[in-house]
Amino acid sequence: MTETVTTGQQRRPYPLGVHVTDTGVDVAVVAPHATAVELCLLDGPLDAPTERRVPLSGPRLGVWTASVPDVRPGQRYGLRAHGPWEPSYGLRYNPAKLLVDPYARGLVGELGYGPHTYGHVVGEDLAGDPYGARDERDSAGHVPHGVVVDTRALPGPDPAANRPWTPWSRSVVYEAHTKGLTRLHPDVPEELRGTYAGLAHPAVVDHLLGLGVTALELLPIHAFTSEPHLEAKGLTNYWGYSTLGFFAPHAAYATAAARAAGPAAVLAELRATVHALHEAGLEVLLDVVYNHTCEGGLPGQHVSLRGLDNAYYYAHDGAVPATLVDVTGTGNSLDFRRTGVVALTLDSLRYWADVVGVDGFRFDLAVTLGRSADGFRTDHATLVAAATDPHLAGLKLVAEPWDVGPGGWRTGQFPAPFAEWNDRFRNAVRSFWLADPGRAAHGLPGHRVRELATRLSGSVDLFGGGTPPFVRGPRASVNYVTAHDGFTMADLVAYEHKHNAANGEQNRDGSDDNRSWNHGVEGPVQRDSPAADIAPLRRRSVRNLFATLVLAAGTPMITGGDEMGRSQGGNNNAYCQDNAISWVRWDLAPWRAAQLATARHLLALRRDHPALRTETFYSGRPRTADGPADLGWYGADGAPFDHGRWHDASIRTFQMVRCAPPPDDDEVLLVVNGALDAVDVRLVDDDARPWTLAWDSVWEHPSEVSTVAITGGLHLPGDTVTTIEPLSMRVYVRP
């Protein structure tokens, strides 16, 4: 969104934000309901700055603008907006409050949590009437300041110029926290641990490449703050889903040297990291939060959009007194019916793509971005714009396809080229391998195998719609068993109940629908414990979960640390735990080292076998004349599944054959036994060539294949009967 100023002749458009020119800066701010907006140039101490105010002209089409001479890069600044204080009508203008430019390329200083940062009068306990009187205390010394950054000629190589452009069919996503991934890494120098630069250290890059991932997805790195209730408890918002600035990198993740040098150096460090990861062949995806901001609900702080134009930026219910619409569970939701909100989002995406060079985005609570007056729309302006913008062309766009508002669950309903987090995959895998066996151990029924089978084959029921049908393919399904939000994989097999006491909310926070199984004992077990015999089964369950994730059709997403058994001690909502609860541990006990070896082995199987990486949905028919069917399902007796078997809840064992057409001619057989007893399985007999055993989840380490080779079980002809251990799976291949 831009604004044109006419002064006898038309001049070039002002881009929104503060942009460096040859003579100073151009400024443009969207604030349609304001009566005046000022650019405030700040000098002196952060907590007691001096201030020069420059009035902006306007508004024209809701935009306030100015060209300000003699302002150079490094200048601190903020905004002040004047207008009516009529909170019952959504108008909350308070010029006593210095506002953060949502377009600021850099921020310095910390957000305070005292009464100064509120637009309405509150006491020392921060309680007050949000519809009451306007607070007249100046907030300039209590809020972050924007910093002018010249992005026209940034130092270092262009990180957008060496993108790996990994195709979806070969993509494996690794979700990680910028600080938590490296904070405890012994091979990363102390000054780099927990930083952007630490992500590109050879020890980290070697781990990611050795594991077999292709894309590093970072939890939010847009500048964010902590919520006041966390600050009061001595906690912080660790995950970062509380955005303050949509263009500024979160400065706390930069090295001390970069922070001392200022926001331009912070940006340079991040760009250098993205470039280095690209050089290693790794893409960088960002988890982005455009659905809400850090300002919270009506009683919340007054630091940016609320002061610029509360009635414009935030969705309201249309009633009097005005109440915010909250479809995000955070107190506020941005109003994507507004052109300026869509523009802010697209401008931010373009900036991170063009200037920082990232390779894609995961959109938090993406349904909010597609909400209009009549609810969610697949043809919403935001979604269409992102899908068609040339700056984003070819980048990976991933929706979290839900929010907490009415009709908020929309998995499978986003338009191409969006991919989506597949929560149905998560639930099916957890239920089959954990919740169902836990129920069976008590004589209770579980789910039928057809749900897991549907997820293994790419979730065509969710992603096969559209015009034309099936065009999105399995790549649209971002499969996951765990994510930052919830139990880790190791905790899924050790806890049936959340243990979130450290969060200070009396264990009320976090999901109760975990579909986990502690295998009989809650929490960790020691070697000398009477329950020590369940530890091997727990480890096997982790291997089953990981293998199902990696070997399913679709795009797998691994949560950082799951490949080596990371635990959060049963905390399934560690959003406020910036400590060892959340940080990845690198001191590997033998079983954790074995889990890492297994993860590497499974990802290598996915990489080396095209049958596991289909780009199109399976049809169950040959893809070439006289060729094998691309997908087949068989029972333990080797006979094809029929309608009755799919609906028989007692069946917990099946075989899945997947074939890749020429020139690959690759064939893979998955044998799955979800029963509590061993089962004799007659291997599928569809070819004269023998099956070669590539992996068995019974193995504690992939090296156990050597034992199988010695006993003659490595190569088995079709129609051979072999015993599959309880709660286990095998992978056979035909080279």
Side-chain angles (χ1 to χ4, degrees):
M1 184 174 182
T2 59
E3 164 64 7
T4 301
V5 174
T6 302
T7 55
Q9 63 179 11
Q10 184 167 319
R11 57 152 292 162
R12 64 178 178 80
Y14 284 98
L16 292 174
V18 176
H19 295 268
V20 176
T21 67
D22 292 339
T23 59
V25 293
D26 284 347
V27 185
V29 178
V30 177
H33 292 101
T35 58
V37 177
E38 297 166 317
L39 173 71
C40 304
L41 302 174
L42 307 169
D43 297 292
L46 287 170
D47 59 353
T50 59
E51 184 176 333
R52 293 170 288 153
R53 299 188 184 184
V54 180
L56 307 186
S57 300
R60 289 180 59 85
L61 301 180
V63 182
W64 299 80
T65 60
S67 289
V68 186
D70 302 324
V71 177
R72 307 314 308 157
Q75 174 67 57
R76 304 196 328 263
Y77 74 96
L79 302 168
R80 295 187 189 271
H82 300 253
W85 177 262
E86 296 179 356
S88 291
Y89 295 94
L91 301 173
R92 308 184 69 88
Y93 286 102
N94 188 341
K97 307 304 173 181
L98 185 75
L99 305 174
V100 172
D101 175 14
Y103 277 78
R105 268 52 176 173
L107 296 174
V108 294
E110 301 295 329
L111 176 63
Y113 293 91
H116 289 75
T117 62
Y118 290 78
H120 60 286
V121 175
V122 299
E124 292 300 321
D125 61 355
L126 307 184
D129 180 5
Y131 297 104
R134 180 164 57 188
D135 184 85
E136 302 296 338
R137 288 170 287 195
D138 195 294
S139 68
H142 304 268
V143 296
H145 300 166
V147 176
V148 176
V149 175
D150 189 353
T151 59
R152 297 176 302 174
L154 293 168
D158 178 7
N162 66 337
R163 289 191 171 109
W165 294 110
T166 306
W168 274 104
S169 61
R170 291 186 174 272
S171 293
V172 178
V173 179
Y174 186 89
E175 186 199 45
H177 188 280
T178 298
K179 180 178 181 179
L181 183 60
T182 63
R183 181 64 183 83
L184 299 177
H185 202 304
D187 297 327
V188 174
E190 178 65 35
E191 65 273 14
L192 300 184
R193 294 178 190 172
T195 70
Y196 296 124
L199 297 174
H201 188 273
V204 178
V205 172
D206 289 348
H207 175 78
L208 297 175
L209 295 178
L211 179 58
V213 302
T214 66
L216 176 61
E217 179 178 306
L218 298 175
L219 267 65
I221 63 170
H222 289 178
F224 64 87
T225 68
S226 293
E227 293 84 348
H229 78 271
L230 291 179
E231 178 71 17
K233 297 174 185 174
L235 299 172
T236 61
N237 187 318
Y238 172 67
W239 287 348
Y241 293 89
S242 188
T243 308
L244 173 62
F246 295 100
F247 293 76
H250 192 61
Y253 294 155
T255 58
R259 295 197 306 272
V266 171
L267 177 60
E269 180 179 306
L270 176 57
R271 282 167 42 89
T273 294
V274 173
H275 182 272
L277 292 171
H278 286 173
E279 288 290 286
L282 292 166
E283 294 186 312
V284 179
L285 312 182
L286 298 187
D287 195 334
V288 288
V289 187
Y290 296 111
N291 58 80
H292 74 281
T293 75
C294 67
E295 291 183 301
L298 283 181
Q301 292 174 286
H302 190 108
V303 294
S304 185
L305 298 181
R306 175 162 289 146
L308 287 175
D309 203 319
N310 177 69
Y312 182 82
Y313 285 105
Y314 292 121
H316 287 71
D317 62 2
V320 178
T323 302
L324 292 174
V325 172
D326 180 13
V327 296
T328 64
T330 63
N332 69 64
S333 304
L334 288 177
D335 191 346
F336 283 87
R337 298 171 298 180
R338 308 292 194 181
T339 302
V341 173
V342 176
L344 173 64
T345 301
L346 269 293
D347 286 346
S348 173
L349 292 172
R350 296 184 194 106
Y351 176 78
W352 289 92
D354 294 345
V355 175
V356 184
V358 302
D359 305 279
F361 305 91
R362 179 266 187 188
F363 296 88
D364 182 63
L365 300 183
V367 169
T368 302
L369 280 61
R371 284 191 178 272
S372 58
D374 55 351
F376 175 78
R377 296 182 60 95
T378 60
D379 60 351
H380 191 282
T382 310
L383 305 182
V384 173
T388 58
D389 192 291
H391 296 260
L392 308 180
L395 301 190
K396 291 181 168 66
L397 306 178
V398 180
E400 183 184 37
W402 52 80
D403 64 15
V404 301
W409 187 82
R410 297 286 178 167
T411 304
Q413 299 178 39
F414 277 73
F418 281 88
E420 302 174 41
W421 274 25
N422 189 349
D423 56 317
R424 291 276 294 275
F425 182 95
R426 174 200 62 200
N427 292 348
V429 175
R430 291 186 182 191
S431 292
F432 184 84
W433 287 118
L434 300 177
D436 286 355
R439 289 173 58 84
H442 294 87
L444 300 173
H447 296 77
R448 289 165 287 189
V449 298
R450 63 177 186 170
E451 177 69 10
L452 180 67
T454 303
R455 305 305 147 220
L456 280 170
S457 56
S459 296
V460 66
D461 61 326
L462 295 174
F463 304 104
T467 304
F470 311 123
V471 70
R472 297 178 71 189
R475 48 83 80 187
S477 177
V478 175
N479 299 330
Y480 70 106
V481 176
T482 66
H484 63 276
D485 185 2
F487 280 145
T488 67
M489 206 171 276
D491 286 351
L492 278 173
V493 306
Y495 297 91
E496 289 189 12
H497 308 284
K498 63 191 180 185
H499 295 263
N500 298 352
N503 297 354
E505 299 178 39
Q506 292 77 51
N507 211 39
R508 293 192 300 265
D509 62 306
S511 175
D512 292 311
D513 182 19
N514 297 298
R515 306 187 188 210
S516 57
W517 181 32
N518 63 19
H519 295 73
V521 176
E522 186 78 354
V525 295
Q526 305 302 319
R527 289 183 179 180
D528 57 354
S529 166
D533 59 343
I534 68 171
L537 184 55
R538 283 182 173 181
R539 296 195 293 270
R540 184 189 303 181
S541 291
V542 170
R543 294 191 292 271
N544 289 332
L545 295 171
F546 199 94
T548 307
L549 169 64
V550 168
L551 303 178
T555 304
M557 186 189 78
I558 300 163
T559 303
D562 272 353
E563 75 277 16
M564 43 193 176
R566 183 176 76 89
S567 172
Q568 292 182 165
N571 191 319
N572 76 347
N573 189 35
Y575 77 104
C576 56
Q577 298 301 323
D578 186 3
N579 51 50
I581 290 175
S582 298
W583 300 339
V584 174
R585 288 177 49 202
W586 298 88
D587 54 327
L588 301 186
W591 76 267
R592 296 183 68 212
Q595 171 62 23
L596 178 57
T598 296
R600 289 170 172 166
H601 181 74
L602 290 167
L603 282 166
L605 284 175
R606 179 183 179 88
R607 179 194 65 220
D608 296 340
H609 288 278
L612 297 172
R613 296 184 279 101
T614 180
E615 297 185 15
T616 58
F617 287 117
Y618 297 108
S619 66
R621 298 186 296 271
R623 294 188 181 180
T624 58
D626 301 322
D630 58 5
L631 175 66
W633 300 99
Y634 304 85
D637 59 358
F641 257 67
D642 56 20
H643 181 79
R645 292 193 185 199
W646 285 123
H647 292 272
D648 187 344
S650 68
I651 293 177
R652 297 281 297 170
T653 307
F654 62 88
Q655 302 181 72
M656 177 190 192
V657 178
R658 293 150 72 180
C659 298
D664 298 308
D665 287 321
D666 185 45
E667 191 171 4
V668 175
L669 167 64
L670 303 185
V671 184
V672 175
N673 181 18
L676 297 180
D677 299 308
V679 175
D680 289 338
V681 173
R682 186 178 297 276
L683 296 182
V684 174
D685 183 19
D686 64 347
D687 194 297
R689 295 172 297 167
W691 292 108
T692 298
L693 181 61
W695 180 74
D696 190 329
S697 70
V698 171
W699 299 344
E700 292 278 357
H701 193 284
S703 63
E704 292 188 33
V705 68
S706 60
T707 302
V708 178
I710 292 172
T711 59
L714 191 59
H715 305 287
L716 297 177
D719 207 38
T720 299
V721 176
T722 181
T723 301
I724 308 297
E725 292 298 310
L727 298 177
S728 70
M729 65 185 299
R730 289 183 187 172
V731 182
Y732 290 92
V733 300
R734 281 183 174 140

